Amino acid sequence: MEPNQGYYAPQKPDNNLVLAIFCTACCCLPAGIYAIIKANDVNNQYNMGMYEQAAESAAQAKKWSLIGIGASAVVWILYILFYVIIIAIAAAS
């Protein structure tokens, strides 16, 4: 009898690498780099049979990508708002 007979590995989680690269390139470099590292860990951990850790790394990659994108969006909104206020003050003067 084979030792792995009847055992099925869970489906590989999405590593969210595209989201992490987008975050790094367009939004927030530190959060994006961490997300890329975690996305890379998903593949390595899954291939070593560490399925729970792979799922956790996938969740971390997604979380940090979204944090980076959200933080960047807030900064851009504040940046635009600042200039709108400056233009409004200059126009009123």
Side-chain angles (χ1 to χ4, degrees):
M1 181 185 246
E2 295 179 24
N4 290 334
Q5 185 177 7
Y7 177 75
Y8 297 102
Q11 185 177 5
K12 181 180 163 195
D14 180 20
N15 62 7
N16 300 299
L17 184 60
V18 173
L19 187 62
I21 290 172
F22 174 77
C23 177
T24 303
C26 299
C27 301
C28 182
L29 190 64
I33 290 174
Y34 184 73
I36 288 174
I37 291 169
K38 285 306 205 178
N40 187 46
D41 286 347
V42 173
N43 296 333
N44 294 337
Q45 291 167 341
Y46 184 83
N47 290 335
M48 292 189 310
M50 300 166 33
Y51 305 119
E52 294 84 18
Q53 291 89 344
E56 177 63 29
S57 291
Q60 289 288 319
K62 185 175 184 178
K63 178 179 89 170
W64 282 102
S65 295
L66 294 177
I67 286 172
I69 291 169
S72 178
V74 168
V75 168
W76 274 105
I77 289 169
L78 292 174
Y79 180 76
I80 292 169
L81 185 62
F82 173 75
Y83 277 101
V84 167
I85 291 171
I86 294 297
I87 291 170
I89 291 172
S93 300

